């Protein structure tokens, strides 16, 4: 029997890989949602023939309509259309929109009773307890797509979680592993975008270079697996073969391994609890040779310290650092601030006072704006 899938963020790295995997599953695409990459969305519509497709704005609608003449897909635009389409109650919604923009559509899908394959980190980073309450209330399955969280999910699935002592997230270290602050002063956008192992979108590539990405993953893991921040460790593992591991009370460690290929965690979220081969390259341990591990450098990679501090402070502090980070990354990508400024500004935002309890989405938006404003007001803009 065909099941329906809505793909939020279809033209990004996760979105395009998801569409490659779909042919190996029982899913049919109900809706595709993209931003400004209208050409690629048009190609996707021709192949997958969804009921609905959504682009950023009216101009996009016009262009998309002319590019897909003869297709029966209904074409819409804007934030309201995304939220409404996410609320249709299809079997699975894969949430891969970048940034806090993913929060409301994902919440709408949870409320509608759809299961969620979650690639958007910000849903849990900014919405935390509020999102988890709604997941419980609506009996929704929240299936992690992030490779680390998929790994932990696979390590603990079916086991008594009371026996869990620690979660250990692995990090590749990004393109700047082992560099000193001095060496990072003048790195270019191109250097920061060149990740050694994973091929990803621009925002997440910068987050990986600053290690903010790992900090956000700590916050995400707290909520997904109900663990406090002090029971989540980070270890640098440059080969990215062990995607994360858990330690049980008796000292036993269980790890999940594989090549650094997002197709594996995407597939598992789509076909759970079954596994399907989707043409991934085989892992050869002799070829990999050595697996090495190091402690992170919290002083050089200040974003990591900021995110962990926010995780411990709780409430809306994660939303605050996330907003500050989105703004700072945007400014770095546009050449307005230096690489190290990102960490300084994100850490600095923690000096603001925000509530310790999340009560509404509006409140999350306000705090997000506050974080962004802190960054624009405190940045030393380059000329
Ligand atoms: Mg990850």
């Amino acid at each position: 029997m065909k099941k329906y899938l809505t793909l939020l963020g279809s033209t990004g790295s996760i979105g395009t890989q998801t569409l490659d995997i779909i042919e190996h599953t029982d899913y049919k695409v109900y809706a595709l949602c993209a931003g400004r990459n209208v050409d690629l969305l048009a190609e996707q519509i021709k192949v997958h023939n969804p009921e609905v497709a959504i682009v950023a704005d009216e101009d996009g609608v016009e262009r998309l309509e002319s590019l897909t003449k003869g297709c029966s897909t209904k074409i819409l635009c804007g934030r309201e259309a995304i939220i409404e389409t996410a609320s249709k109650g299809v079997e699975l919604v894969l949430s891969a929109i970048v940034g806090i923009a993913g929060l409301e559509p994902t919440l709408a899908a949870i409320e509608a009773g759809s299961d969620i394959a979650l690639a958007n980190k910000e849903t849990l980073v900014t919405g935390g307890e509020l999102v988890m309450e709604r997941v419980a209330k609506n009996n929704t399955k929240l299936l992690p797509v992030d490779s680390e969280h998929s790994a932990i999910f696979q390590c603990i699935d079916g086991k008594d979680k009371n026996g869990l002592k620690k979660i250990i997230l692995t990090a590749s270290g990004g393109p700047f592993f082992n560099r000193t602050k001095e060496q990072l002063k003048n790195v270019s956008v191109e250097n920061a975008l060149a990740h050694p192992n994973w091929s990803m979108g621009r925002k997440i590539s910068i987050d990986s270079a600053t290690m903010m990405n790992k900090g956000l993953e700590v916050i995400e893991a707290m909520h997904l697996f109900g663990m406090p921040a002090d029971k989540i460790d980070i270890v640098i593992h440059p080969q990215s073969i062990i995607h994360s591991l858990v330690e049980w009370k008796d000292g036993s460690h269980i790890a999940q391994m594989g090549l650094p290929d997002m197709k594996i965690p995407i597939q598992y979220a789509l076909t759970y609890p079954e596994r399907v081969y989707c043409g991934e390259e085989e892992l050869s341990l002799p070829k990999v040779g050595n697996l090495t591990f190091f402690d992170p450098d919290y002083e050089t990679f200040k974003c990591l310290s900021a995110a962990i501090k926010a995780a411990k402070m709780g409430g809306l502090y994660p939303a605050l650092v996330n907003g500050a980070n989105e703004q700072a990354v945007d400014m770095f990508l546009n050449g307005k601030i230096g690489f190290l400024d990102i960490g300084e500004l994100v850490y600095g935002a923690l000096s603001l006072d925000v509530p310790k309890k999340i009560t509404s989405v509006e409140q999350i938006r306000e705090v997000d704006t506050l974080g962004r404003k802190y960054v624009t007001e405190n940045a030393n803009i380059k000329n």
Side-chain angles (χ1 to χ4, degrees):
M1 202 187 78
K2 278 281 175 201
K3 297 187 285 185
Y4 285 92
L5 170 102
T6 285
L7 180 47
L8 305 175
S10 72
T11 54
S13 167
I14 299 287
T16 51
Q17 294 184 75
T18 301
L19 289 174
D20 289 341
I21 289 167
I22 269 184
E23 57 177 300
H24 301 277
T25 73
D26 300 330
Y27 283 104
K28 157 132 189 46
V29 178
Y30 171 76
L32 293 175
C33 160
R36 297 186 192 281
N37 195 344
V38 175
D39 293 309
L40 180 54
L41 181 58
E43 293 308 312
Q44 294 177 338
I45 290 172
K46 286 178 200 159
V47 175
H48 296 279
N49 194 27
E51 302 277 324
V52 182
I54 307 170
V55 275
D57 50 33
E58 293 288 352
D59 289 352
V61 173
E62 228 169 86
R63 249 176 67 72
L64 196 56
E65 273 172 351
S66 75
L67 287 169
T68 59
K69 270 202 187 98
C71 295
S72 57
T73 303
K74 192 164 141 195
I75 295 169
L76 304 168
C77 70
R79 189 170 146 256
E80 289 306 316
I82 300 173
I83 294 173
E84 203 190 309
T85 304
S87 314
K88 293 290 182 202
V90 294
E91 278 83 2
L92 186 71
V93 173
L94 193 142
S95 171
I97 292 178
V98 178
I100 195 171
L103 173 65
E104 282 176 89
T106 310
L107 271 176
I110 293 169
E111 298 279 5
S114 295
D115 285 336
I116 310 291
L118 189 64
N120 169 271
K121 287 193 168 74
E122 291 75 7
T123 296
L124 283 176
V125 167
T126 64
E129 296 85 4
L130 186 91
V131 173
M132 292 314 286
E133 272 164 28
R134 300 206 185 164
V135 164
K137 197 180 91 195
N138 292 287
N139 215 2
T140 297
K141 261 201 227 103
L142 201 53
L143 301 152
V145 171
D146 210 343
S147 64
E148 294 79 358
H149 304 85
S150 175
I152 296 158
F153 179 62
Q154 294 178 57
C155 291
I156 65 176
D157 191 36
K159 302 198 177 70
D160 177 8
K161 290 168 197 73
N162 288 320
L164 203 57
K165 187 177 166 192
K166 222 191 263 173
I167 284 174
I168 304 161
L169 294 175
T170 52
S172 67
F176 301 143
F177 169 55
N178 249 343
R179 303 272 188 99
T180 61
K181 261 193 177 170
E182 196 49 44
Q183 291 169 318
L184 292 178
K185 256 186 191 157
N186 297 313
V187 295
S188 66
V189 170
E190 288 68 35
N191 293 149
L193 284 173
H195 197 280
N197 304 343
W198 295 96
S199 126
M200 306 176 289
R202 282 162 71 84
K203 158 75 167 52
I204 186 168
S205 292
I206 300 301
D207 284 349
S208 186
T210 62
M211 291 204 69
M212 183 68 181
N213 185 51
K214 210 47 57 181
L216 297 178
E217 287 178 356
V218 169
I219 302 170
E220 212 186 347
M222 271 170 54
H223 297 298
L224 267 176
F225 306 112
M227 290 288 270
D230 60 2
K231 289 193 172 167
I232 304 173
D233 283 356
I234 297 167
V235 64
I236 307 279
H237 167 44
Q239 296 81 14
S240 298
I241 296 296
I242 294 184
H243 297 310
S244 276
L245 54 161
V246 295
E247 182 182 346
W248 298 92
K249 274 182 184 159
D250 61 359
S252 181
H253 287 63
I254 296 187
Q256 187 263 347
M257 300 167 75
L259 286 170
D261 183 344
M262 284 307 295
K263 284 209 175 95
I264 299 171
I266 295 170
Q267 165 263 311
Y268 197 59
L270 258 57
T271 62
Y272 173 81
E274 277 155 41
R275 292 177 187 272
V276 177
Y277 176 64
C278 297
E280 295 85 1
E281 195 191 327
E282 251 174 61
L283 167 66
S284 157
L285 287 176
K287 226 193 239 175
V288 174
N290 295 313
L291 299 181
T292 54
F293 306 93
F294 307 88
D295 280 323
D297 174 354
Y298 292 95
E299 186 42 46
T300 303
F301 296 91
K302 253 191 142 173
C303 279
L304 184 55
S305 305
I308 291 171
K309 195 171 169 195
K312 289 179 179 165
M313 292 165 91
L316 283 139
Y317 282 96
L320 178 71
V321 290
N322 182 70
N325 181 62
E326 285 194 22
Q327 184 65 37
V329 170
D330 193 56
M331 290 171 81
F332 172 69
L333 284 171
N334 288 307
K336 296 211 171 87
I337 58 172
F339 181 76
L340 290 174
D341 295 335
I342 304 173
E344 293 300 329
L345 289 163
V346 171
Y347 200 93
L350 282 171
S351 61
L352 301 177
D353 244 339
V354 297
K356 285 281 205 175
K357 187 164 169 45
I358 308 176
T359 53
S360 68
V361 174
E362 291 69 43
Q363 191 198 25
I364 297 170
R365 286 194 160 282
E366 280 167 27
V367 170
D368 175 73
T369 307
L370 210 62
R372 289 170 192 268
K373 213 170 129 221
Y374 175 88
V375 170
T376 46
E377 284 174 358
N378 290 277
N380 282 318
I381 310 266
K382 289 201 256 180
N383 291 314

